[in-house]
Amino acid sequence: MNHQPDHPANVPADAVLSPMTWRGDHLQMIDQTRLPSEEVWLELRTAGEVREAIQSLRVRGAPAIGIAAAYGLYLGVWDYPAENRQDLIRHLQHVSGQLASSRPTAVNLTWALNRSLENVKNHESKDPSVLKQVVLDYAQKLHEEDMRICVDIGYAGQPLVPQEAGVITHCNTGSLATGRYGTALSVIYHAHLEGKNIHVWVDETRPLLQGSRLTAWELGRTGIPYHLITDSMAGWVMKTKRADLVIVGTDRVAANGDTANKIGTYALSILAEYHSVPFYVAAPLSSIDLSIPDGDHIPIEERDPGEVRYTASCATAPEDAPVFNPAFDVTPHSLIRGFITEKGIVRPDFSKNLSRLLSD
Ligand code: MRU
Protein backbone atom coordinates (compact mmCIF):
# COMPACT_ATOMS: atom_id res chain seq x y z
CA MET A 1 0.00 0.00 0.00
CA ASN A 2 1.30 3.45 -0.91
CA HIS A 3 1.31 5.49 2.29
CA GLN A 4 2.48 8.74 0.76
CA PRO A 5 0.18 10.01 -1.98
CA ASP A 6 1.50 13.27 -3.33
CA HIS A 7 3.39 14.22 -0.21
CA PRO A 8 3.56 17.98 0.45
CA ALA A 9 7.08 18.86 -0.72
CA ASN A 10 8.21 21.34 1.92
CA VAL A 11 6.80 19.41 4.86
CA PRO A 12 9.38 16.79 5.91
CA ALA A 13 7.94 13.35 5.05
CA ASP A 14 8.57 11.91 8.49
CA ALA A 15 7.00 14.95 10.14
CA VAL A 16 3.55 14.07 8.80
CA LEU A 17 2.74 11.06 10.86
CA SER A 18 1.11 7.82 9.68
CA PRO A 19 -0.98 7.20 12.79
CA MET A 20 -2.15 3.69 11.81
CA THR A 21 -0.49 0.88 9.89
CA TRP A 22 -1.70 -2.62 9.11
CA ARG A 23 1.10 -5.02 10.08
CA GLY A 24 -0.04 -8.29 8.47
CA ASP A 25 -1.83 -9.67 11.52
CA HIS A 26 -2.47 -6.61 13.68
CA LEU A 27 -3.23 -2.91 13.56
CA GLN A 28 -0.46 -0.70 14.84
CA MET A 29 -1.57 2.71 16.03
CA ILE A 30 -0.27 5.56 18.13
CA ASP A 31 -2.06 5.94 21.47
CA GLN A 32 -3.42 9.50 21.28
CA THR A 33 -4.25 9.57 24.98
CA ARG A 34 -0.52 9.47 25.79
CA LEU A 35 0.44 12.41 23.55
CA PRO A 36 2.25 14.75 23.70
CA SER A 37 4.35 13.41 26.59
CA GLU A 38 4.91 9.90 25.21
CA GLU A 39 4.76 8.24 21.78
CA VAL A 40 3.31 4.84 22.63
CA TRP A 41 2.44 2.50 19.76
CA LEU A 42 -0.31 -0.07 20.32
CA GLU A 43 -0.70 -3.46 18.65
CA LEU A 44 -4.39 -4.23 18.32
CA ARG A 45 -5.23 -7.88 17.58
CA THR A 46 -8.97 -8.19 18.34
CA ALA A 47 -12.16 -6.31 17.51
CA GLY A 48 -12.64 -5.78 21.26
CA GLU A 49 -9.29 -4.01 21.49
CA VAL A 50 -10.22 -1.78 18.55
CA ARG A 51 -13.57 -1.00 20.17
CA GLU A 52 -11.86 -0.07 23.44
CA ALA A 53 -9.33 2.10 21.57
CA ILE A 54 -12.14 4.03 19.85
CA GLN A 55 -14.22 4.42 23.00
CA SER A 56 -11.33 5.64 25.13
CA LEU A 57 -10.05 7.98 22.36
CA ARG A 58 -6.74 6.17 21.84
CA VAL A 59 -7.81 6.63 18.22
CA ARG A 60 -10.13 9.56 17.59
CA GLY A 61 -11.26 11.93 14.85
CA ALA A 62 -14.12 10.94 12.56
CA PRO A 63 -12.23 9.50 9.55
CA ALA A 64 -9.68 7.72 11.77
CA ILE A 65 -12.30 5.86 13.78
CA GLY A 66 -13.98 4.74 10.52
CA ILE A 67 -10.69 3.30 9.25
CA ALA A 68 -9.88 1.66 12.60
CA ALA A 69 -13.35 0.09 12.71
CA ALA A 70 -12.92 -1.33 9.19
CA TYR A 71 -9.72 -3.08 10.35
CA GLY A 72 -11.51 -4.06 13.58
CA LEU A 73 -14.13 -5.88 11.53
CA TYR A 74 -11.43 -8.07 10.03
CA LEU A 75 -9.81 -8.64 13.44
CA GLY A 76 -13.22 -9.79 14.67
CA VAL A 77 -13.66 -12.45 11.99
CA TRP A 78 -10.28 -13.71 10.77
CA ASP A 79 -10.22 -16.67 13.18
CA TYR A 80 -13.99 -17.25 13.33
CA PRO A 81 -14.71 -20.85 12.26
CA ALA A 82 -17.53 -19.96 9.85
CA GLU A 83 -19.52 -22.92 8.58
CA ASN A 84 -20.62 -21.14 5.43
CA ARG A 85 -21.14 -17.74 3.80
CA GLN A 86 -24.34 -16.98 5.74
CA ASP A 87 -22.73 -17.88 9.05
CA LEU A 88 -19.81 -15.55 8.32
CA ILE A 89 -22.08 -12.67 7.31
CA ARG A 90 -24.12 -13.09 10.52
CA HIS A 91 -20.91 -12.95 12.55
CA LEU A 92 -19.69 -9.90 10.62
CA GLN A 93 -22.98 -8.13 11.39
CA HIS A 94 -22.56 -8.95 15.06
CA VAL A 95 -18.98 -7.60 15.20
CA SER A 96 -19.99 -4.55 13.18
CA GLY A 97 -22.78 -3.77 15.67
CA GLN A 98 -20.31 -3.95 18.56
CA LEU A 99 -17.84 -1.63 16.84
CA ALA A 100 -20.57 0.79 15.73
CA SER A 101 -21.79 1.23 19.31
CA SER A 102 -18.40 2.54 20.47
CA ARG A 103 -19.16 6.21 19.66
CA PRO A 104 -22.41 7.74 18.37
CA THR A 105 -21.72 11.11 16.74
CA ALA A 106 -19.21 10.61 13.92
CA VAL A 107 -21.07 9.09 11.00
CA ASN A 108 -17.79 7.87 9.46
CA LEU A 109 -17.84 4.92 11.86
CA THR A 110 -21.10 3.40 10.59
CA TRP A 111 -20.33 4.62 7.07
CA ALA A 112 -17.14 2.52 6.96
CA LEU A 113 -18.71 -0.54 8.61
CA ASN A 114 -21.80 -0.49 6.39
CA ARG A 115 -19.75 -0.11 3.25
CA SER A 116 -17.54 -3.02 4.23
CA LEU A 117 -20.56 -5.23 4.97
CA GLU A 118 -22.23 -4.28 1.67
CA ASN A 119 -19.00 -5.07 -0.14
CA VAL A 120 -18.93 -8.58 1.35
CA LYS A 121 -22.58 -9.16 0.53
CA ASN A 122 -22.00 -8.10 -3.07
CA HIS A 123 -19.02 -10.42 -3.41
CA GLU A 124 -19.83 -13.60 -5.28
CA SER A 125 -17.54 -16.00 -3.46
CA LYS A 126 -19.13 -18.53 -1.12
CA ASP A 127 -15.85 -19.41 0.55
CA PRO A 128 -15.61 -17.84 4.05
CA SER A 129 -11.82 -17.61 3.89
CA VAL A 130 -12.04 -15.60 0.66
CA LEU A 131 -14.68 -13.34 2.21
CA LYS A 132 -12.49 -12.68 5.24
CA GLN A 133 -9.74 -11.50 2.91
CA VAL A 134 -12.32 -9.27 1.17
CA VAL A 135 -12.96 -7.54 4.53
CA LEU A 136 -9.25 -6.89 5.04
CA ASP A 137 -8.73 -5.67 1.47
CA TYR A 138 -11.63 -3.27 1.91
CA ALA A 139 -10.19 -1.82 5.13
CA GLN A 140 -6.88 -1.20 3.34
CA LYS A 141 -8.72 0.36 0.41
CA LEU A 142 -10.63 2.75 2.72
CA HIS A 143 -7.39 3.63 4.49
CA GLU A 144 -5.58 4.41 1.25
CA GLU A 145 -8.59 6.30 -0.14
CA ASP A 146 -8.76 8.44 2.99
CA MET A 147 -5.15 9.60 2.56
CA ARG A 148 -5.89 10.68 -1.01
CA ILE A 149 -9.10 12.42 0.06
CA CYS A 150 -7.17 14.37 2.71
CA VAL A 151 -4.67 15.55 0.09
CA ASP A 152 -7.53 16.59 -2.22
CA ILE A 153 -9.19 18.53 0.62
CA GLY A 154 -5.86 20.24 1.26
CA TYR A 155 -5.64 21.46 -2.33
CA ALA A 156 -9.36 22.26 -2.61
CA GLY A 157 -9.11 24.71 0.30
CA GLN A 158 -6.29 26.82 -1.18
CA PRO A 159 -8.43 29.46 -2.92
CA LEU A 160 -9.74 30.40 0.54
CA VAL A 161 -6.32 30.96 2.10
CA PRO A 162 -4.62 34.27 1.30
CA GLN A 163 -0.84 34.51 0.77
CA GLU A 164 -0.52 35.92 4.31
CA ALA A 165 -3.03 34.18 6.54
CA GLY A 166 -4.03 33.87 10.16
CA VAL A 167 -6.19 30.78 10.62
CA ILE A 168 -8.08 29.70 13.74
CA THR A 169 -8.77 25.99 14.21
CA HIS A 170 -10.42 23.86 16.88
CA CYS A 171 -9.83 20.32 18.13
CA ASN A 172 -7.50 18.09 16.10
CA THR A 173 -8.19 17.52 12.43
CA GLY A 174 -4.71 16.44 11.38
CA SER A 175 -2.97 13.19 10.53
CA LEU A 176 -3.95 11.78 13.89
CA ALA A 177 -7.65 12.22 13.09
CA THR A 178 -7.49 10.63 9.63
CA GLY A 179 -5.48 8.14 7.57
CA ARG A 180 -2.86 10.84 7.18
CA TYR A 181 -2.60 14.64 6.53
CA GLY A 182 -6.01 15.49 7.99
CA THR A 183 -8.92 17.62 6.80
CA ALA A 184 -8.83 21.21 8.13
CA LEU A 185 -5.16 20.71 9.00
CA SER A 186 -4.48 19.42 5.48
CA VAL A 187 -5.62 22.80 4.13
CA ILE A 188 -3.07 24.37 6.48
CA TYR A 189 -0.29 21.91 5.48
CA HIS A 190 -0.96 22.62 1.81
CA ALA A 191 -0.95 26.40 2.33
CA HIS A 192 2.50 25.95 3.88
CA LEU A 193 3.45 23.76 0.91
CA GLU A 194 2.47 26.53 -1.49
CA GLY A 195 4.82 28.89 0.34
CA LYS A 196 2.07 30.92 1.99
CA ASN A 197 2.95 32.79 5.11
CA ILE A 198 0.51 31.07 7.40
CA HIS A 199 0.04 31.38 11.14
CA VAL A 200 -2.35 29.16 13.10
CA TRP A 201 -4.27 29.97 16.28
CA VAL A 202 -4.88 26.63 17.97
CA ASP A 203 -7.81 26.43 20.41
CA GLU A 204 -6.80 24.18 23.29
CA THR A 205 -10.22 22.45 23.10
CA ARG A 206 -11.50 21.77 26.58
CA PRO A 207 -12.08 19.34 28.21
CA LEU A 208 -9.79 16.78 26.55
CA LEU A 209 -7.35 19.24 25.00
CA GLN A 210 -7.15 17.78 21.51
CA GLY A 211 -5.94 21.20 20.33
CA SER A 212 -3.10 21.64 22.80
CA ARG A 213 -2.09 17.98 23.11
CA LEU A 214 -2.45 16.93 19.47
CA THR A 215 -2.75 19.84 17.01
CA ALA A 216 0.07 21.82 18.63
CA TRP A 217 2.18 18.65 18.61
CA GLU A 218 1.46 18.02 14.90
CA LEU A 219 2.13 21.62 13.85
CA GLY A 220 5.33 21.66 15.88
CA ARG A 221 6.62 18.59 14.02
CA THR A 222 5.98 20.22 10.64
CA GLY A 223 7.39 23.62 11.53
CA ILE A 224 4.19 25.53 10.80
CA PRO A 225 4.03 28.65 13.00
CA TYR A 226 1.25 28.61 15.60
CA HIS A 227 0.14 30.00 18.93
CA LEU A 228 -1.85 27.99 21.39
CA ILE A 229 -4.83 29.79 22.95
CA THR A 230 -7.51 28.76 25.42
CA ASP A 231 -10.96 28.42 23.86
CA SER A 232 -12.13 31.59 25.59
CA MET A 233 -9.42 33.66 23.84
CA ALA A 234 -10.66 33.10 20.28
CA GLY A 235 -12.97 36.13 20.28
CA TRP A 236 -10.20 38.43 21.47
CA VAL A 237 -7.84 37.01 18.84
CA MET A 238 -10.43 37.78 16.15
CA LYS A 239 -10.70 41.34 17.45
CA THR A 240 -7.04 42.14 18.02
CA LYS A 241 -4.92 39.81 15.85
CA ARG A 242 -4.79 38.61 12.27
CA ALA A 243 -7.58 36.07 11.76
CA ASP A 244 -8.56 35.69 8.10
CA LEU A 245 -10.59 32.55 8.48
CA VAL A 246 -11.68 29.72 10.74
CA ILE A 247 -11.37 26.15 9.47
CA VAL A 248 -12.70 23.24 11.53
CA GLY A 249 -13.46 19.59 10.84
CA THR A 250 -16.68 17.71 11.35
CA ASP A 251 -18.12 14.50 12.73
CA ARG A 252 -21.39 14.66 10.84
CA VAL A 253 -23.03 17.06 8.41
CA ALA A 254 -26.82 16.84 8.11
CA ALA A 255 -28.61 17.23 4.76
CA ASN A 256 -29.23 20.96 5.35
CA GLY A 257 -25.58 21.64 6.27
CA ASP A 258 -25.97 21.74 10.07
CA THR A 259 -22.65 20.44 11.35
CA ALA A 260 -21.64 18.48 14.44
CA ASN A 261 -18.08 18.97 15.59
CA LYS A 262 -16.11 19.08 18.83
CA ILE A 263 -17.78 21.01 21.64
CA GLY A 264 -16.83 24.66 21.35
CA THR A 265 -17.23 24.81 17.57
CA TYR A 266 -20.69 26.38 17.82
CA ALA A 267 -19.40 29.19 20.05
CA LEU A 268 -16.49 29.73 17.67
CA SER A 269 -18.88 30.03 14.70
CA ILE A 270 -20.88 32.72 16.51
CA LEU A 271 -17.69 34.64 17.32
CA ALA A 272 -16.65 34.36 13.67
CA GLU A 273 -20.01 35.69 12.49
CA TYR A 274 -19.81 38.65 14.89
CA HIS A 275 -16.29 39.54 13.72
CA SER A 276 -17.01 38.84 10.01
CA VAL A 277 -14.37 36.09 9.89
CA PRO A 278 -15.36 33.47 7.28
CA PHE A 279 -16.10 30.10 8.91
CA TYR A 280 -15.39 26.96 6.85
CA VAL A 281 -15.81 23.26 7.56
CA ALA A 282 -13.42 20.74 5.98
CA ALA A 283 -15.53 17.65 5.36
CA PRO A 284 -14.83 14.44 3.47
CA LEU A 285 -17.97 13.13 1.74
CA SER A 286 -17.96 10.26 4.26
CA SER A 287 -18.94 12.78 6.96
CA ILE A 288 -22.08 13.93 5.12
CA ASP A 289 -25.23 12.16 6.26
CA LEU A 290 -28.11 12.91 3.92
CA SER A 291 -30.32 10.47 5.83
CA ILE A 292 -30.95 13.10 8.50
CA PRO A 293 -32.59 16.41 7.61
CA ASP A 294 -30.92 18.69 10.16
CA GLY A 295 -28.70 18.98 13.20
CA ASP A 296 -31.51 18.19 15.67
CA HIS A 297 -31.24 14.57 14.51
CA ILE A 298 -27.51 14.19 15.15
CA PRO A 299 -26.85 12.05 18.25
CA ILE A 300 -24.57 13.95 20.61
CA GLU A 301 -22.24 11.85 22.72
CA GLU A 302 -22.11 12.67 26.42
CA ARG A 303 -18.95 11.55 28.11
CA ASP A 304 -17.76 10.86 31.64
CA PRO A 305 -18.14 13.83 34.04
CA GLY A 306 -14.59 13.07 35.23
CA GLU A 307 -13.30 14.53 31.96
CA VAL A 308 -14.50 17.93 33.19
CA ARG A 309 -13.78 17.52 36.91
CA TYR A 310 -10.17 16.54 36.33
CA THR A 311 -7.40 17.77 34.06
CA ALA A 312 -4.50 15.34 33.60
CA SER A 313 -5.60 13.45 36.77
CA CYS A 314 -5.55 16.69 38.77
CA ALA A 315 -8.83 17.72 40.42
CA THR A 316 -10.00 21.06 39.04
CA ALA A 317 -13.53 20.90 40.51
CA PRO A 318 -15.20 19.50 43.62
CA GLU A 319 -15.41 15.70 43.44
CA ASP A 320 -19.23 15.84 43.36
CA ALA A 321 -19.68 18.87 41.05
CA PRO A 322 -22.65 18.18 38.78
CA VAL A 323 -21.32 18.16 35.22
CA PHE A 324 -22.82 18.42 31.73
CA ASN A 325 -20.25 17.04 29.30
CA PRO A 326 -21.43 16.91 25.68
CA ALA A 327 -18.48 15.96 23.48
CA PHE A 328 -19.90 17.72 20.42
CA ASP A 329 -22.17 20.58 19.43
CA VAL A 330 -24.02 21.51 16.27
CA THR A 331 -23.23 24.62 14.25
CA PRO A 332 -26.25 25.79 12.26
CA HIS A 333 -25.70 25.91 8.51
CA SER A 334 -26.45 29.66 8.45
CA LEU A 335 -23.11 30.32 10.21
CA ILE A 336 -21.08 28.24 7.74
CA ARG A 337 -19.59 29.94 4.69
CA GLY A 338 -18.79 26.67 2.91
CA PHE A 339 -17.64 23.05 3.08
CA ILE A 340 -14.19 22.12 1.80
CA THR A 341 -14.58 18.62 0.37
CA GLU A 342 -12.40 16.37 -1.77
CA LYS A 343 -14.64 17.39 -4.70
CA GLY A 344 -14.23 21.12 -4.15
CA ILE A 345 -15.91 23.83 -2.11
CA VAL A 346 -19.65 23.57 -1.49
CA ARG A 347 -21.50 26.82 -0.88
CA PRO A 348 -25.13 27.55 0.09
CA ASP A 349 -27.81 26.48 -0.74
CA PHE A 350 -26.42 23.47 1.18
CA SER A 351 -29.60 21.35 1.00
CA LYS A 352 -29.44 21.47 -2.76
CA ASN A 353 -25.67 21.47 -3.25
CA LEU A 354 -24.76 18.71 -0.77
CA SER A 355 -27.30 16.30 -2.21
CA ARG A 356 -26.18 17.14 -5.75
CA LEU A 357 -22.56 16.50 -4.74
CA LEU A 358 -23.35 13.11 -3.25
CA SER A 359 -25.53 12.02 -6.13
CA ASP A 360 -22.69 12.86 -8.57
O1 MRU B 1 -13.85 13.47 20.27
P1 MRU B 1 -12.93 13.54 19.09
O2 MRU B 1 -11.56 13.97 19.46
O3 MRU B 1 -12.97 12.27 18.27
O4 MRU B 1 -13.56 14.69 18.18
C1 MRU B 1 -12.96 14.94 16.93
C2 MRU B 1 -13.51 16.13 16.24
O5 MRU B 1 -14.47 16.73 16.64
C3 MRU B 1 -12.87 16.49 14.93
O6 MRU B 1 -12.92 17.86 14.71
C4 MRU B 1 -13.63 15.77 13.80
O7 MRU B 1 -13.71 14.40 14.04
C5 MRU B 1 -12.99 15.98 12.46
S1 MRU B 1 -11.46 15.09 12.33
C6 MRU B 1 -10.88 15.30 10.76
Side-chain angles (χ1 to χ4, degrees), residues 283-349:
L285 300 192
S286 55
S287 297
I288 300 170
D289 184 359
L290 295 184
S291 74
I292 52 167
D294 56 44
D296 291 348
H297 294 79
I298 300 177
I300 299 294
E301 177 180 10
E302 280 188 40
R303 294 187 62 88
D304 188 328
E307 292 180 354
V308 177
R309 289 191 196 118
Y310 291 83
T311 302
S313 308
C314 209
T316 50
E319 186 65 44
D320 58 353
V323 165
F324 174 49
N325 184 19
F328 300 95
D329 55 30
V330 176
T331 298
H333 62 273
S334 56
L335 297 178
I336 297 170
R337 196 65 71 89
F339 291 92
I340 309 166
T341 78
E342 64 269 37
K343 301 284 179 210
I345 295 166
V346 181
R347 297 200 178 270
D349 173 343

Side-chain angles (χ1 to χ4, degrees), residues 32 57 59-65 103 106 108 170-174 177-178 182-184 208 210 214 248-251 260-263 265 282 284 287 301 303 327-328:
Q32 299 191 35
L57 312 192
V59 56
R60 42 130 319 269
I65 63 178
R103 293 193 80 188
N108 309 62
H170 191 70
C171 195
N172 172 267
T173 60
T178 59
T183 59
L208 293 182
Q210 287 92 333
L214 308 177
V248 297
T250 178
D251 291 83
N261 192 47
K262 178 53 52 195
I263 192 75
T265 306
S287 297
E301 177 180 10
R303 294 187 62 88
F328 300 95

